Amino acid sequence: MYIKKGINNINEAYNIAEQGNQKLSGNISISNPSTFNEFFLIKAIEIFKKEYPEVSFYLDSSSRTIDIHANGIDLVIRSSPLPNSQLVARKIFEQHRILVCSPEYLTKIPIPQHIHDLSALNSLAFSYPGYNSTFWILETIKCNESLSKNP
């Protein structure tokens, strides 16, 4: 996932608070996927607000492509490549996914023996507006291969 624009504002806010020159207050607008809220952001905001209770947060829980300037968003968190723009992006962590299937589906197909066998199987691919993954990169201890797979 990448943090786009706004990281400098947060760093500046921390610097001001550490210097004690000003009381930290105001609004921070963040756009990010709802799953990120559940697993990371809500807890981080809770901790932050204990230290800085006069800061409020607006959360836009979506994965859609947005115009941060037009929507007044300070910080955007996405799990996709940054399109060509003037925005600044920073990688905050690796995100790993796994391939799974139901036991019932396995009874109806030949068991895949090689990653290329997967291209013949039915699949659902993770995507959202602005991010459409048309390939998978499968990694194991022994190999690092990619597989083009249209959902």
Side-chain angles (χ1 to χ4, degrees):
M1 294 203 162
Y2 293 90
I3 296 180
K4 302 174 186 174
K5 188 160 189 301
I7 195 73
N8 290 335
N9 293 345
I10 291 175
N11 286 335
E12 183 178 329
Y14 275 118
N15 291 337
I16 290 170
E18 287 176 356
Q19 294 170 6
N21 294 336
Q22 296 181 12
K23 192 174 194 179
L24 191 58
S25 64
N27 302 310
I28 300 174
S29 297
I30 303 172
S31 177
N32 60 284
S34 60
T35 53
F36 191 82
N37 284 344
E38 296 166 21
F39 292 105
F40 303 104
L41 196 58
I42 298 300
K43 186 66 176 172
I45 288 173
E46 181 182 312
I47 293 167
F48 186 90
K49 287 201 54 82
K50 284 180 183 174
E51 184 86 19
Y52 308 104
E54 294 192 29
V55 174
S56 62
F57 290 85
Y58 166 77
L59 301 180
D60 171 38
S61 297
S62 73
S63 298
R64 65 186 170 86
T65 302
I66 62 167
D67 179 334
I68 63 172
H69 300 293
N71 291 293
I73 302 294
D74 299 308
L75 178 69
V76 178
I77 300 170
R78 294 291 185 265
S79 60
S80 61
L82 180 65
N84 291 336
S85 73
Q86 298 291 323
L87 300 176
V88 175
R90 294 191 182 154
K91 187 176 191 174
I92 56 176
F93 64 86
E94 290 282 332
Q95 184 179 36
H96 300 280
R97 295 193 172 104
I98 59 171
L99 297 177
V100 297
C101 74
S102 71
E104 181 183 329
Y105 186 63
L106 276 177
T107 66
K108 299 176 183 178
I109 63 167
I111 303 296
Q113 301 298 313
H114 190 270
I115 68 166
H116 296 292
D117 298 340
L118 298 173
S119 62
L121 302 178
N122 294 330
S123 65
L124 298 172
F126 178 77
S127 68
Y128 54 83
Y131 177 76
N132 184 11
S133 180
T134 57
F135 67 95
W136 301 336
I137 298 175
L138 304 176
E139 297 177 321
T140 67
I141 294 171
K142 297 179 184 177
C143 68
N144 182 353
E145 298 184 58
S146 65
L147 170 67
S148 292
K149 173 72 174 137
N150 292 321

